[in-house]
Structures are given as C-alpha cells and as structure tokens.
Amino acid sequence: MEIITVKKIKKSFKKYTREQGLWNAIKSLFQREYKLVEAIRNISFSVEKGEILGYLGPNGAGKSTVIKILTGILYPDSGSIEIMGYVPFDDREKYVQNIGVVMGQKSTLSWSLPAIDSFYLTQAIYQISKKDFEKNLNELTELLEVKEISKTLVRNLSLGERMKCEFINCILHNPKIIFLDEPTIGLDVVAKEKIRNFIKKINKERGTTVILTTHDIDDVEALCHRIILIDKGIHVYEGSLESLKKKFVSYKDLTVEFEKKVKEIKLDNCEVLMHKEFKAKIRVNALKVNPTNVIKKLIDKYPIVDINVDDESVESIIKKIYLSKNDK
Amino acid sequence: MINKYSEFFKMEIKEDLADRSRFILWIISKPISMMINILIWTAIFSNSNSLSIGGFSIGQTINYFLFQAVFGNIIFNNISEKIGAKIYSGELSTSLLKPVNFSISMVSKSLGGRFFSLIYESIPTHAIAMLFFGMQIYNKPAIILSIISLFLGLLINCFFSLSWSLLYFKTLNYMPLERIKRFVIQFISGFYLPLNFFPLALQNVLKFLPFNFLLYEPTKIFLNIYSFKEILGVMLIQIVWIIVLYGTFNFFFKITLKKFEGVGA
Ligand SMILES: Nc1ncnc2c1ncn2[C@@H]1O[C@H](COP(=O)(O)OP(=O)(O)OP(=O)(O)O)[C@@H](O)[C@H]1O
Ligand SMILES: [Mg+2]
C-alpha cells in the first residue's frame, strides 16, 4: 500500500548575498540582492507502507529540504503531496499527529529540564493514554538503556545520550511514519549500532515506515530496503542497494597470498595496486573481464594459498555517480 | 484539549524553577527601584505648587509606581523575542512539528511563566512594599480585579507580540525590531509614566490603541478610581482586543508560513 505519494514538487529559495564589510552591511539594509536557488527541481516518488527508504546525496543536494516539505514545515512551490490521505502543509496540525521526526542537528527536548519532562509534554500534546504511555516508555527506555539518562538535565547529556532521548521522544506516540534527518551524525560506533537496531526493531514490530537521510553508507547497508540518490535537487538513482551494485560496480579487488616469492604479476585488464613478495592486491576491471576468469588464470599461473574478493565499496560507487553527474 | 496546553503551562513553570537566580535578582532589584521611584516623585511633588499631577495626588502616584514594580511584570513577556530566536536558529521547524496550535501553545507557556512570577516574585515583593514602602490597598476586591485585568493585559500583549513577531520572518536581524517594540510598549502602556501625565492629544490617540489596556487601566482599577461597572467596561474592551489581535495573528501567520524558508540543516 502506498503511504506517501509525491508528484513533481519544486522548491526554490531566495539566497541573500552580500560582499563583506561594514559599508555593504549598511547598504544591504536598503537593497538586498538575492539569487534564486532551485533546491528541489521536479521530484516524484512514492513510498510503500512498512518500507525503510534511504535518502542519499551530497551536501546541499536537497535532502533536508525534501524532509521539511514532507513533514509540513515548508510549502513546495508547485507539485502535490499526499501522505496517509493528508496534504502535509495544509493539514499540518492533524497530519503531524501521525508522524515522528528526528533531525540530527535540532533538539525537541527542553534544554534546562530532564528528558523525562519533555516526554510528559509529548504525552500531553499527542494525547497518549496513561497506559500506552507507560508501556511504551518502559519498552523504549529499556531498549535504548536510558533509564538513568532520562532523569539527567538534557544540557548535561552527551550527544549520543541526547540522541537516544530524541528517538524516544519522537516515537512515544507510535507514529505511522518516522522521518530521520541524519540521525546518526556524530555518534560513536556502538551508539550507531544501537540506533540502527532500534530503527530495525520499530520497523519490524510496529510496521513503521521510515524515511532516512544519511551520509553514512553503513546505515544504508544495515537498514534500507530501497535507496534514492538525489543530487542538485533531482533524483539520479532509485532502487535497491543490490541493483545499484549490479549496475554500477566497475571493479573487484583481489587480495592474493602466494606460497613462494613471485617477482612479477601480469594479467590483462587488471591493475596491480600492491605487490610484496608473498602478497598482492589486484584490481580487476569488471567492465571488461569476468572476475571469475581472472581468478582461474591466477590460480593456473601462480602458486596461490589464499584469495579474497572484495566488491567495490558502495561509497565509491555513489561517489562516482555524484561525480559523473557533475561532469555533464 | 485543555490538557494539551496546560502541560505547556506547567513546562514553563518547571523551566523557571530550574533558574533560581532570577528570583534572587528580583527580590534584590525591586526594593531598589521602588525606593528610587518614591524619592523621585516625592521630590517632584514637593517642588511643584500643585497638589496633583494629571489628576493624581502624591499618594496615588507613589502607589501607581509601587503597583507597577510589584505586579507590572505580569504583562511583560518575551514571546516575540523567543520567536525571533526560533526563526533565526531554525528551531521554529521543530515547533511546527507538534500537533498543537502554535500561538496558543506559546501563550500557554507565557501564562505559566507569569503565573509563576505572580506567586514567587510579586507576592513576596508585595509584602515588602506594604511593610517598608507604605503601599496602600484601597479596596480588597479592587486588587483582585486589577490582577485579573493584568492577566487580560498579558493576553493582549501576547497576541500583539505574536503578530509583531511575524515581521521577524522578513529580516535576518530581528533584535532592533524587538528593542523598538519593547521600548514603545513600555512607554505607551504607562510603565514609565502614568498616561494621564501625557499631553491630552497623545492620550486621545492612545485611546484607540490596545496598549493602555496592558498596564495603565489595570493600575487604575487598583487605585480604586473606577466603579465596578467601569471595571467591567475595561475588561470587556480588553477581551475585544484579545479577539481582534488573535484573529490578526492567525490570518497573517497562515500567509507568512507559506513563505517560511526553514533555515538550518
Ligand atoms: N532556508 C534556506 N534559504 C536559502 N537557501 C536554502 C535554505 N535551505 C536550503 N537552502 C539551499 O538549498 C539547497 C539544498 O539544501 P538542503 O539543506 O536540502 O541540502 P541537504 O541535502 O540536506 O545537504 P546536507 O547533506 O549538507 O545536509 C542548498 O543549496 C541550500 O543552500
Ligand atoms: Mg541536510
């Protein structure tokens, strides 16, 4: 079932520019120069219920702008959006009752109070029944291990501790969709892992639909059923991670260990990245030859004890897509 | 429904309680400003030949300023400053994500803060003003009615501030506008001078604006100048202003949000 339908949205911003210096600051009071930036140029897509969608793109691509439009904060200049039967920016007050939003750089918790007080505010404004609230809060605090943390003043929490509380605050009312704008930014490996498992669990057990922007490919590999790549306000790829790999992988790296010293390695369509007496790293151009054939050849020609095959990393594939679009 | 907004009310009180230094500053600074006002006005009256200025006797004038010092803080709020900061930092986005009426949630917070300040700041300083500075209570119901009227004044100020803050969407630097607003409101609400000390022409203009209903009229209720019927009249006009300004805000807020650019990552 389609839960989000986005058709041909566009959004541009006025970007005010001025030269540095006091005189220019004064001048800008009277006459402001601006450029129109097209942040979103004609985007359409849809999301199925229960899906985890990864929204990726380089800095300034327009990810946060899309999230803000989907959550009803911004009006698009044109195009239409329907989410669970609501038009986000027109039915804002009713619509936001059904969604949860975490923005990595913005806090929804009151700075000078313990997080638990903000949770109670959430209970009141989303009108969560006492029973549901307590059940949910217990479950979530246990899952993220924040029992003690939620009683500390938010201003005294570390980033990771605060993020866990933000997550709880955004999910307490059992939203049907959660929007996460860079939820793992600045977190350590363990905390990232915890947040990822948390998202997975919520998605699985409650069937919550998740839209997530990130710069961390590991987030995507761990979570996303489908990804959308956006660059300069337009979508440049839409599909699963696997088909992205299939479509764009251009090389494989072989790490080889030899039994005896090998002086020279010669293979067609391959580049020797590293070669020490007993070890070598070879990059196979997968566009020109089948890597399996190269491996066969290697075994025939050289005394091999071990071979390891690594795919081109998703990161480098995505980098290539970004860069190739920029050339045009 | 009520429950939604009462939590905002409580939240603000909790936040204020977290900041105890404010209470101490208040208790120290208020007696000083009361003392200065008494000295100034005693000097002015003793150097003038008439026994009253703008119809106020020295006793009424001093009581006017004592009342402002003790209870005047009820009407002042920092709604517009908060909204300015929210627009500037992009935090307004998170406010828009809550399923509540934005203006009513902001006003509920203000009411919470001012209620807190009535209990923890005004009542103790009221005792000080009565014991050490000879503050008079002319009439017990009058003081209660004047405080109710002050809260209506607070609502007027809240919705005026909300409407004014819509200008902050259009500028990168809201502080100058905020200062202008603060100064003008203090001046024409009767905080610096009772409005009857102003030239008649100016007084006549101010009659058509909401600002004398913030402080000046409630203080006159306290000074027992009005009959009960007149008091009800004042409150009625206050309520009309609240409705007008609430409507104004909601009308322009809708338009403004369409152009909101939601700065920040
Ligand atoms: N309020 C605004 N006013 C003017 N320009 C804006 C505004 N918000 C975003 N932009 C511009 O729109 C474009 C897209 O911004 P957006 O924040 O959506 O990027 P992003 O994909 O989230 O980037 P990042 O990965 O850095 O968070 C950028 O060029 C940005 O400068
Ligand atoms: Mg962003």
Side-chain angles (χ1 to χ4, degrees):
Chain A
M1 198 184 82
E2 244 175 51
I3 193 165
I4 298 180
T5 317
V6 176
K7 281 190 191 134
K8 294 186 180 163
I9 53 165
K10 289 184 186 170
K11 175 86 191 172
S12 31
F13 292 110
K14 282 180 188 167
K15 228 178 210 168
Y16 294 97
T17 50
R18 76 167 201 239
E19 306 289 314
Q20 67 90 38
L22 180 64
W23 171 240
N24 285 307
I26 294 170
K27 224 168 65 181
S28 75
L29 283 180
F30 301 100
Q31 137 199 62
R32 289 205 286 174
E33 285 166 29
Y34 63 83
K35 272 195 311 215
L36 217 52
V37 190
E38 288 185 293
I40 305 296
R41 302 184 284 177
N42 206 356
I43 281 183
S44 306
F45 66 101
S46 57
V47 182
E48 293 290 312
K49 191 171 180 301
E51 198 177 7
I52 303 186
L53 174 72
Y55 211 71
L56 279 75
N59 291 132
K63 301 178 296 296
S64 300
T65 307
V66 170
I67 297 283
K68 283 181 199 158
I69 292 175
L70 294 183
T71 51
I73 296 170
L74 295 184
Y75 278 72
D77 296 336
S78 63
S80 71
I81 302 176
E82 196 182 308
I83 303 181
M84 296 177 284
Y86 297 103
V87 178
F89 33 90
D90 285 337
D91 314 322
R92 193 176 56 77
E93 254 181 72
K94 274 187 225 135
Y95 164 66
V96 293
Q97 175 83 30
N98 300 290
I99 62 167
V101 184
V102 175
M103 298 199 241
Q105 10 269 74
K106 287 191 189 113
S107 182
T108 55
L109 305 168
S110 171
W111 213 237
S112 52
L113 297 175
I116 187 82
D117 283 312
S118 295
F119 298 162
Y120 281 113
L121 178 67
T122 300
Q123 181 197 2
I125 63 183
Y126 289 91
Q127 307 195 285
I128 309 166
S129 75
K130 199 164 182 246
K131 210 181 90 207
D132 288 349
F133 177 75
E134 270 161 18
K135 186 174 144 259
N136 224 342
L137 185 61
N138 280 337
E139 191 189 323
L140 296 173
T141 42
E142 237 157 74
L143 208 63
L144 287 171
E145 297 165 16
V146 292
K147 217 163 213 118
E148 290 312 307
I149 295 171
S150 66
K151 290 178 189 133
T152 318
L153 294 187
V154 171
R155 71 162 113 228
N156 296 341
L157 294 179
S158 81
L159 177 66
E161 292 166 340
R162 206 200 77 211
M163 280 313 289
K164 288 181 189 169
C165 295
E166 297 280 357
F167 264 87
I168 292 181
N169 201 29
C170 123
I171 260 162
L172 270 173
H173 59 289
N174 251 328
K176 299 190 185 74
I177 307 178
I178 51 181
F179 295 91
L180 310 171
D181 194 3
E182 306 194 29
T184 55
I185 193 167
L187 300 186
D188 72 33
V189 197
V190 182
K192 273 186 184 174
E193 192 62 35
K194 199 149 257 161
I195 294 282
R196 279 178 202 144
N197 288 337
F198 178 74
I199 297 172
K200 238 190 242 172
K201 202 163 164 175
I202 296 292
N203 169 261
K204 212 178 226 152
E205 288 177 2
R206 307 187 181 188
T208 311
T209 310
V210 181
I211 318 280
L212 145 123
T213 84
T214 181
H215 290 293
D216 188 336
I217 301 299
D218 293 338
D219 284 347
V220 179
E221 300 211 57
L223 293 169
C224 300
H225 306 147
R226 189 161 65 101
I227 61 171
I228 289 180
L229 286 185
I230 179 177
D231 191 15
K232 300 212 172 69
I234 34 180
H235 287 175
V236 294
Y237 175 81
E238 193 178 334
S240 72
L241 204 54
E242 283 69 44
S243 52
L244 178 81
K245 280 187 199 164
K246 250 183 229 149
K247 207 163 158 190
F248 292 98
V249 160
S250 62
Y251 62 78
K252 290 201 184 210
D253 284 340
L254 309 179
T255 314
V256 196
E257 261 177 63
F258 303 115
E259 204 171 21
K260 297 182 228 152
K261 279 189 190 176
V262 168
K263 276 195 193 135
E264 212 186 356
I265 303 170
K266 264 195 175 167
L267 290 164
D268 290 339
N269 295 318
C270 292
E271 185 192 344
V272 180
L273 298 177
M274 180 272 285
H275 181 196
K276 283 177 195 156
E277 291 164 339
F278 289 98
K279 227 181 165 183
K281 200 166 188 181
I282 302 162
R283 177 160 293 180
V284 183
N285 185 335
L287 301 175
K288 295 210 169 130
V289 289
N290 186 342
T292 353
N293 292 339
V294 177
I295 295 170
K296 272 187 202 147
K297 239 184 240 168
L298 259 175
I299 297 173
D300 287 347
K301 273 171 100 174
Y302 305 98
I304 304 244
V305 252
D306 190 25
I307 295 187
N308 241 320
V309 187
D310 288 308
D311 279 345
E312 176 179 9
S313 71
V314 178
E315 200 143 332
S316 113
I317 296 174
I318 288 175
K319 197 164 89 192
K320 230 163 39 194
I321 297 176
Y322 293 167
L323 291 177
S324 73
K325 291 287 164 189
N326 284 353
D327 290 344
K328 281 175 196 166
Chain B
M1 202 41 201
I2 294 283
N3 168 2
K4 249 189 200 183
Y5 297 103
S6 67
E7 198 59 36
F8 281 99
F9 182 95
K10 282 190 235 160
M11 196 77 176
E12 183 75 11
I13 295 180
K14 285 187 204 164
E15 282 175 2
D16 282 353
L17 275 170
D19 177 15
R20 262 161 298 189
S21 58
R22 236 190 50 184
F23 170 70
I24 294 165
L25 279 176
W26 174 269
I27 288 293
I28 295 172
S29 70
K30 278 299 145 179
I32 298 174
S33 75
M34 288 191 256
M35 172 94 88
I36 292 172
N37 265 326
I38 289 180
L39 291 176
I40 290 175
W41 288 101
T42 320
I44 290 174
F45 271 90
S46 65
N47 284 325
S48 83
N49 295 323
S50 59
L51 287 175
S52 75
I53 302 179
F56 277 8
S57 69
I58 176 164
Q60 278 177 318
T61 309
I62 286 175
N63 264 296
Y64 183 94
F65 283 103
L66 288 176
F67 182 79
Q68 308 265 311
V70 175
F71 293 108
N73 62 308
I74 288 174
I75 67 124
F76 293 110
N77 63 72
N78 53 2
I79 283 194
S80 57
E81 195 185 343
K82 269 192 197 156
I83 294 179
K86 272 175 192 256
I87 296 169
Y88 189 78
S89 70
E91 207 198 305
L92 187 71
S93 302
T94 46
S95 306
L96 292 177
L97 289 171
K98 295 187 175 140
V100 291
N101 180 307
F102 178 70
S103 62
I104 296 187
S105 67
M106 291 302 285
V107 171
S108 306
K109 287 195 92 179
S110 265
L111 282 174
R114 301 296 87 187
F115 185 74
F116 171 83
S117 111
L118 174 71
I119 305 289
Y120 284 83
E121 296 169 344
S122 297
I123 290 180
T125 35
H126 186 214
I128 294 176
M130 301 245 298
L131 286 174
F132 299 105
F133 298 104
M135 184 174 182
Q136 269 181 17
I137 292 186
Y138 298 92
N139 177 337
K140 276 199 192 113
I143 189 165
I144 292 176
L145 289 172
S146 67
I147 288 173
I148 294 174
S149 178
L150 276 177
F151 270 97
L152 291 173
L154 167 64
L155 288 176
I156 297 178
N157 194 10
C158 282
F159 288 114
F160 173 76
S161 299
L162 277 161
S163 309
W164 180 263
S165 72
L166 295 177
L167 294 174
Y168 302 172
F169 281 85
K170 300 223 179 299
T171 165
L172 294 175
N173 185 2
Y174 65 93
M175 267 329 267
L177 282 173
E178 175 67 23
R179 290 207 191 92
I180 291 172
K181 188 212 89 170
R182 214 179 291 171
F183 177 76
V184 169
I185 284 203
Q186 288 187 348
F187 201 70
I188 62 181
S189 69
F191 183 71
Y192 291 128
L193 274 182
L195 298 185
N196 50 349
F197 290 16
F198 286 174
L200 214 59
L202 183 58
Q203 282 188 51
N204 282 333
V205 174
L206 292 181
K207 269 191 193 133
F208 296 98
L209 296 174
F211 306 104
N212 48 344
F213 292 94
L214 301 183
L215 260 183
Y216 177 64
E217 297 294 340
T219 313
K220 273 169 88 178
I221 296 177
F222 166 75
L223 293 176
N224 207 18
I225 289 171
Y226 287 137
S227 70
F228 187 65
K229 224 167 149 191
E230 283 169 320
I231 293 175
L232 290 185
V234 167
M235 291 185 174
L236 192 70
I237 301 177
Q238 287 185 308
I239 290 169
V240 170
W241 271 117
I242 292 168
I243 294 169
V244 168
L245 287 167
Y246 175 75
T248 311
F249 170 77
N250 277 311
F251 179 74
F252 287 106
F253 188 53
K254 270 215 179 95
I255 298 175
T256 309
L257 274 192
K258 286 202 175 153
K259 298 200 190 111
F260 176 53
E261 301 211 323
V263 284

